[in-house]
Amino acid sequence: MPLRPIVACRGAISYETAKFTADIIGPLVGRSPHHLKNSKELVEKLQHVQLTNDEILVSYDVTALFTCTPVNESFRIIDIRLRNDITLHERTELNVDQIMILLKYSLTTTYFQYDNVFYQQIEGAAMGSPVSPIVANLFMENFEQKALASFHSPKKFWGRFVDDTLVIIDKILIDEFTEHINNQHPAIKFTLDKE
C-alpha cells in the first residue's frame, strides 16, 4: 500500500524560511483567469452560465497534487514569474537568485521520521509546508495554460481551486479531454466525477 507522508512542518528547521518565502512568492498566484480564490468566487462566475443539452458539468481532482508537484520544473516556472514581476521590489529587497535559494532550501530539506528511521522527501512539495500550496498552484497555472491551449475545442468554463477543477464541456468530448489532460505531464493525473 503506497503511503503519502504528511509532514508536520511547524517547528521544523526550514519552516520559518518557507513561511518567509511564501510571503514573497504568494502574490504570483491567481494571475490565471482560471484561478478561483474560494467558493464564493466560483458561484459569482457561474451565476449567469447555463448548460445546453449537449454540455455537462465535470469535476476533476489532481491525484496527490502536493506530493506529485514536479519541484524542479516548478523552480523554473517560479524563477521566470519572479523575473517578470514588476512589483517584487515592493515585497522584498532580495533579488530573484536569493529568493530561489530560499525556495529550494524550503522544498529540499523535508525530512521525517517513521519507525525510528529518518527519510527525506525527494519528490513533490511537502504537505504541511507554508510554501507548498503556492508552488503547487503556480505549477498548475502553467499546466492548465498549456493543456487548455493545446486542446482542439475550447471549454465553456474551467475554474480551479488548487487541485480541484470544475469544467463545463460538451458531453461527447469528456473522454477525449480527460485523456488529453492526463497525458500532459507524467506526474499529474486527474480523477473525474460527472454531475
Side-chain angles (χ1 to χ4, degrees):
M1 178 69 92
L3 298 175
R4 180 170 60 167
I6 300 175
V7 181
C9 292
R10 191 174 291 273
I13 192 168
S14 62
Y15 182 81
E16 291 301 323
T17 303
K19 188 175 172 188
F20 176 78
T21 309
D23 290 341
I24 295 171
I25 68 171
L28 299 175
V29 173
R31 296 183 181 176
S32 162
H34 308 291
H35 176 80
L36 297 170
K37 289 182 240 171
N38 52 39
S39 57
K40 180 181 179 204
E41 184 178 20
L42 173 63
V43 170
E44 289 170 0
K45 286 188 174 190
L46 290 177
Q47 192 169 19
H48 301 290
V49 175
Q50 291 189 359
L51 272 66
T52 66
N53 290 335
D54 297 332
E55 296 172 330
I56 190 169
L57 194 61
V58 177
S59 173
Y60 287 104
D61 182 40
V62 179
T63 304
L65 175 60
F66 285 15
T67 54
C68 289
T69 299
V71 173
N72 288 328
E73 194 171 335
S74 298
F75 289 152
R76 288 189 291 276
I77 292 165
I78 293 168
D79 186 275
I80 291 167
R81 291 259 187 117
L82 285 170
R83 292 186 192 285
N84 292 325
D85 183 9
I86 60 173
T87 65
L88 181 61
H89 70 280
E90 297 170 9
R91 297 190 304 279
T92 184
E93 294 180 14
L94 298 177
N95 65 40
V96 173
D97 293 331
Q98 293 167 326
I99 296 165
M100 292 306 298
I101 289 169
L102 294 176
L103 180 61
K104 288 175 183 177
Y105 169 76
S106 299
L107 289 176
T108 59
T109 57
T110 305
Y111 300 92
F112 60 95
Q113 182 180 1
Y114 175 75
D115 201 20
N116 292 323
V117 178
F118 282 93
Y119 297 89
Q120 178 183 13
Q121 181 175 345
I122 57 172
E123 293 292 333
M127 295 180 73
S129 172
V131 78
S132 294
I134 297 163
V135 171
N137 257 310
L138 290 169
F139 175 81
M140 286 305 297
E141 286 181 11
N142 188 69
F143 173 94
E144 71 193 3
Q145 178 185 3
K146 290 177 181 178
L148 294 175
S150 61
F151 192 67
H152 63 79
S153 180
K155 269 41 64 238
K156 186 172 191 174
F157 181 81
W158 170 287
R160 183 187 51 79
F161 180 76
V162 190
D163 62 343
D164 296 315
T165 306
L166 191 66
V167 179
I168 297 174
I169 189 169
D170 286 343
K171 292 175 185 176
I172 62 170
L173 294 175
I174 291 173
D175 293 337
E176 182 183 357
F177 182 67
T178 302
E179 182 179 347
H180 173 75
I181 61 174
N182 277 329
N183 287 325
Q184 295 302 301
H185 197 285
I188 303 300
K189 299 299 174 206
F190 292 84
T191 59
L192 162 73
D193 285 315
K194 299 176 185 176
E195 68 171 310

